[in-house]
Amino acid sequence: MEMIRLPALRRVAICGGTHGNEMTGVYLVPELERQQKEKGDAAWSVPLTTVLSNPRAIKACSRYIDKDLNRCFTSPILSSPISEDTPYEIQRAQELNSLLGPKGSEDAVDIIIDLHNTTANMGLSIISYEWSNSVCFQIFKHLQDKITNVPVRLVLINVPPVEAFSLESVAKCGVSLEVGPQPQGVVRADIFNIMKQGVDAVLDWTETFNSGKKIEGGEVEVYLMQKSMDYPRDPKTGKPTAAIHPQLQDQDFCLLQRGDPVFLTFSGETLSYEEEEPLHPLFINEAAYYEKGIAFHLARKKTLSFPSIQVKTD
């Protein structure tokens, strides 16, 4: 098995409230801060930065104020001039880039874990753009090994030629932890505990890596995002004419075959999956995606290998 050596981790950031109505991160970040204050230097050996990303949206308990903050971390937006008319989230993105980046620089934090909730039945999912980053795969494998009370899955997003636009892309290695189902504006104890397990496992992995221990490589199953599917819509009004079919609702990560029911029109007609290739639906009926014209994403499952890693000692 191939083995690579990487620099020690200097700084990790945990961010919550990037969407102000996704409440687990809103409550978990202050809890992490409380633990840091209580334990002092004994909390974690890797310096930890905790951030509530979108304070105005958190106060309003809304996804965002002017525009989706998690779409504001491209180079053109981060370098755009600020005026009194600049949307709040663009201003905030530039503040976060200064705090955690700058994006693409050696000064950027090593790892950002951005905490999100979904109304879909996604369990604990790691969402990442890091197709070739061995740290991402190592973290995912560690979470899978440590957390056994809920499915843990890795979803990889391929954005080229478009630049990654989400908060975690500011870091050298960025991942988003998505836990659901949880309604917007609500905190559930079971979902909170799953997210806390995930964060604790990530921090545990960083301690192991920085200790100098060799961490073995291996193989993982991943879901590679392929496309998005919209609801059927009225050509005149643009409004949906169907809902997710009851047989598909809450079946995230199932395998859709041609002919399987996906939508039920409001007049009672079943609409079937028409793609030739069987694919896996993700974020089924996510509430935040109605405005984006997405009923669910479709992904292809694949097994990928990753190398062993160890911290550089020189």
Side-chain angles (χ1 to χ4, degrees):
M1 175 68 69
E2 178 190 2
M3 206 273 284
I4 61 174
R5 296 184 183 275
L6 299 170
L9 302 171
R10 298 175 300 162
R11 188 159 59 121
V12 173
I14 308 291
C15 302
T18 302
H19 295 135
N21 57 3
E22 296 178 5
M23 303 306 290
T24 301
V26 171
Y27 284 93
L28 183 50
V29 165
E31 172 60 19
L32 293 171
E33 292 172 346
R34 185 194 67 77
Q35 291 182 20
Q36 277 189 297
K37 185 175 181 180
E38 184 179 90
K39 297 179 181 179
D41 293 339
W44 298 283
S45 64
V46 182
L48 180 64
T49 300
T50 51
V51 182
L52 287 174
S53 309
N54 196 335
R56 289 190 189 176
I58 292 169
K59 185 176 181 179
C61 196
S62 63
R63 183 174 175 86
Y64 54 81
I65 299 301
D66 295 321
K67 63 182 299 176
D68 192 332
L69 177 61
N70 217 33
R71 304 294 186 272
C72 291
F73 291 91
T74 61
S75 297
I77 292 177
L78 293 175
S79 61
S80 63
I82 298 296
S83 71
E84 60 182 16
D85 297 322
T86 301
Y88 168 69
E89 276 79 11
I90 291 180
Q91 299 179 50
R92 184 60 179 155
Q94 293 192 11
E95 293 171 359
L96 291 168
N97 188 52
S98 296
L99 174 67
L100 304 174
K103 181 177 179 177
S105 75
E106 280 301 311
D107 293 329
V109 296
D110 295 296
I111 299 173
I112 288 177
I113 306 296
D114 195 20
L115 309 181
H116 288 266
N117 290 121
T118 172
T119 61
N121 189 28
M122 293 282 287
L124 173 57
S125 300
I126 296 178
I127 316 294
S128 182
Y129 300 98
E130 307 284 1
W131 285 58
S132 59
N133 193 315
S134 56
V135 170
C136 173
F137 290 106
Q138 288 279 0
I139 289 173
F140 168 62
K141 185 63 168 60
H142 186 74
L143 264 67
Q144 271 200 328
D145 292 343
K146 290 288 186 179
I147 300 174
T148 58
N149 58 325
V150 65
V152 181
R153 303 179 180 95
L154 174 59
V155 178
L156 294 178
I157 302 172
N158 187 20
V159 295
V162 179
E163 180 187 4
F165 46 62
S166 55
L167 170 57
E168 73 270 12
S169 68
V170 171
K172 296 184 180 74
C173 174
V175 298
S176 170
L177 291 189
E178 287 272 3
V179 187
Q182 177 169 282
Q184 296 175 342
V186 169
V187 60
R188 285 177 44 162
D190 56 343
I191 300 298
F192 181 94
N193 288 337
I194 292 167
M195 184 77 84
K196 181 66 163 56
Q197 283 182 284
V199 170
D200 287 345
V202 173
L203 296 176
D204 175 67
W205 183 89
T206 64
E207 300 276 326
T208 300
F209 174 72
N210 269 11
S211 74
K213 179 181 177 181
K214 178 183 176 182
I215 307 178
E216 297 294 337
E219 292 185 338
V220 289
E221 273 190 352
V222 302
Y223 292 84
L224 311 179
M225 203 80 83
Q226 300 299 305
K227 61 173 69 176
S228 301
M229 303 293 290
D230 193 8
Y231 296 92
R233 294 183 181 272
D234 185 304
K236 293 182 179 179
T237 67
K239 293 182 179 180
T241 57
I244 296 294
H245 195 281
Q247 292 184 36
L248 181 59
Q249 182 63 51
D250 299 327
Q251 300 303 309
D252 298 76
F253 297 99
C254 71
L255 183 62
L256 276 177
Q257 306 274 3
R258 187 173 176 86
D260 288 345
V262 290
F263 297 111
L264 185 64
T265 70
F266 300 130
S267 60
E269 178 188 0
T270 294
L271 304 180
S272 300
Y273 181 70
E274 297 180 349
E275 301 289 320
E276 291 293 337
E277 180 184 6
L279 293 170
H280 300 264
L282 317 178
F283 290 101
I284 297 171
N285 205 15
E286 162 60 46
Y289 287 173
Y290 275 71
E291 70 176 25
K292 300 181 186 301
I294 298 172
F296 52 85
H297 296 299
L298 288 169
R300 181 182 296 124
K301 186 161 67 171
K302 188 174 182 179
T303 299
L304 298 179
S305 60
F306 59 96
S308 303
I309 64 173
Q310 190 172 23
V311 71
K312 287 181 178 178
T313 55
D314 53 351

